[in-house]
Amino acid sequence: MGITRFLAFAAILAVALGAAATAPATAAPITSGSDLGVALPPPTGPFPVGVQEFHLVDDRPDPWMPDRDRELMVSAWYPALAPIGRPDPYATPEESALILASLGLAGFAPDSLSKIRTHAYVDAPRWGHPLPTVVLSPGFTMPRASLTGLAEELAARGYLVLGIDHTYEASAVTFPDGRITECEACVGRLDAVSVARSRAQDVSFVLDELTGRLPIDLSRIAMGGHSAGGFTAPYALAEDGRISAGFNLDGTFPAAPYGRAVDRPFLMMGAPGHAPDGKSGARWGTAYDAFHGWKRWVTVDGTSHSSFTDYAPIAAALGYQVPDTTIDGNRAMDLTRRYVTAFVDLHLRGIPQPLLDAPDPAHPEVRFH
């Protein structure tokens, strides 16, 4: 075993045994008005991060374009043996323009998001042995890139992370032949249950296709995400027995119960509106009551819907104040990373996590319900 592999193996072993997290990092400041020069907060784990992109085609009809097969783009983040390769682009200029338009953000150059710097290296050398795996699904209209900060953190801590773009539900998805699809599902009234069921099928298909091509540990898989990606998790758990734990970041659950999912560990983490006395608290309460296995329901004071995505630290770096948000964007990302990492460390690695047992004085914004 070479020295590089030995050091990487030692780092994985340290993580598996519960190595302490380092201090939270902050996003890099803006360097100029024309070139944003903003980097996502660096991951705090011991590994460099690699990323590989996959184009997958399912022969089932696309739910939004029934005359076409279902096509998906997937990013796989993983602990790399070395930080080798070109930096992973956050978005192309064309994607940036479409994403900013979907968010209704004016005052920024259309290519702004293409100048965001990430911390992953494209096609960096990776491990071949099975890794605990986390599948991430983004919010409705949002691309898989919107969860890059969380994905990089998990990968730097020894996880394989699969981020899925749900075609025609995201504002921009670019395929290898240069095609860019937009959000066809944004036209008309959204059927949240249908979205969740379709996304659950996407999750199972991705696992089917990438098992054997990537070092997925089939005995240790969690699935979750933000908004629609989060409320998809119970449906994915119910339909796919390979998934052993799920989490929802600020997604309003459309319906309950969820079949076989109710006996598996589940984390609900969201903004104050999802507290018991919040405007969406009743729905979260119904979902929480449906789960009978290990479960936690926490909210984070000062957050809003986008606080659990990359857009929180990006907005902080740009000096943009997100409406209905008082928490610093970097702090929001730090808390999201800490609690999701604690959840998967507990349920995929068996590492005790006091952070999930009771409120922590170091995190006064986090309320348990």
Side-chain angles (χ1 to χ4, degrees):
M1 179 183 291
I3 185 64
T4 300
R5 289 178 177 268
F6 174 80
L7 291 175
F9 178 78
I12 282 183
L13 182 61
V15 172
L17 294 176
T22 60
T26 58
I30 302 171
T31 56
S32 73
S34 59
D35 184 349
L36 293 180
V38 175
L40 293 174
T44 64
F47 300 121
V49 177
V51 65
Q52 187 175 358
E53 195 172 77
F54 294 88
H55 173 215
L56 306 178
V57 182
D58 193 353
D59 59 7
R60 66 185 168 99
D62 189 280
W64 309 109
M65 293 287 185
D67 60 333
R68 304 178 187 178
D69 290 340
R70 183 64 164 164
E71 287 185 90
L72 300 173
M73 292 302 299
V74 178
S75 287
W77 290 269
Y78 51 86
L81 291 174
I84 298 173
R86 63 183 175 87
D88 183 37
Y90 192 77
T92 67
E94 296 78 11
E95 289 170 339
S96 175
L98 291 168
I99 294 166
L100 290 173
S102 75
L103 294 172
L105 291 178
F108 299 108
D111 64 348
S112 293
L113 294 180
S114 68
K115 299 175 182 178
I116 301 296
R117 298 196 302 272
T118 70
H119 303 279
Y121 296 87
V122 176
D123 296 332
R126 58 176 167 80
W127 287 91
H129 63 75
L131 296 170
T133 300
V134 180
V135 183
L136 293 180
S137 177
F140 194 73
T141 79
M142 294 184 179
R144 67 191 189 276
S146 63
L147 296 174
T148 296
L150 176 59
E152 290 182 342
E153 176 71 12
L154 291 169
R157 293 185 168 277
Y159 288 91
L160 172 65
V161 184
L162 307 177
I164 303 173
D165 257 334
H166 302 280
T167 312
Y168 302 119
E169 297 174 35
S171 52
V173 180
T174 302
F175 289 91
D177 61 5
R179 287 175 298 131
I180 300 179
T181 60
E182 299 181 40
C183 188
E184 301 295 335
C186 293
V187 179
R189 183 176 177 83
L190 177 66
D191 180 350
V193 172
S194 294
V195 169
R197 287 174 174 162
S198 173
R199 287 188 175 212
Q201 289 181 298
D202 287 346
V203 169
S204 291
F205 171 68
V206 167
L207 289 174
D208 290 342
E209 288 293 300
L210 295 183
T211 295
R213 299 168 66 180
L214 288 172
I216 298 172
D217 185 339
L218 293 174
S219 68
R220 296 189 292 173
I221 299 175
M223 184 269 154
H226 171 250
S227 193
F231 70 59
T232 291
Y235 292 86
L237 267 67
E239 294 299 322
D240 197 322
R242 294 171 294 187
I243 306 171
S244 57
F247 59 92
N248 176 6
L249 302 174
D250 209 57
T252 301
F253 293 95
Y258 309 105
R260 294 177 297 177
V262 299
D263 294 325
R264 299 182 204 169
F266 206 89
L267 170 68
M268 298 158 49
M269 182 177 188
H274 287 123
D277 57 352
K279 62 182 180 181
S280 300
R283 286 196 178 188
W284 270 40
T286 299
Y288 192 71
D289 290 344
F291 292 105
H292 304 304
W294 187 103
K295 58 184 178 180
R296 292 293 184 273
W297 175 2
V298 301
T299 55
V300 184
D301 290 339
T303 59
S304 61
H305 192 52
S306 64
S307 297
F308 304 90
T309 73
D310 296 345
Y311 300 151
I314 290 173
L318 295 175
Y320 177 75
Q321 181 61 48
V322 180
D324 302 319
T325 306
T326 58
I327 194 171
D328 176 76
N330 297 301
R331 175 66 170 172
M333 171 157 281
D334 177 52
L335 292 172
T336 301
R337 285 173 161 183
R338 286 179 184 272
Y339 280 82
V340 173
T341 299
F343 174 74
V344 295
D345 275 352
L346 174 62
H347 296 292
L348 299 188
R349 285 179 164 145
I351 304 171
Q353 297 294 326
L355 185 67
L356 298 174
D357 292 335
D360 188 328
H363 310 129
E365 310 97 325
V366 180
R367 291 192 290 149
F368 281 63
H369 306 291

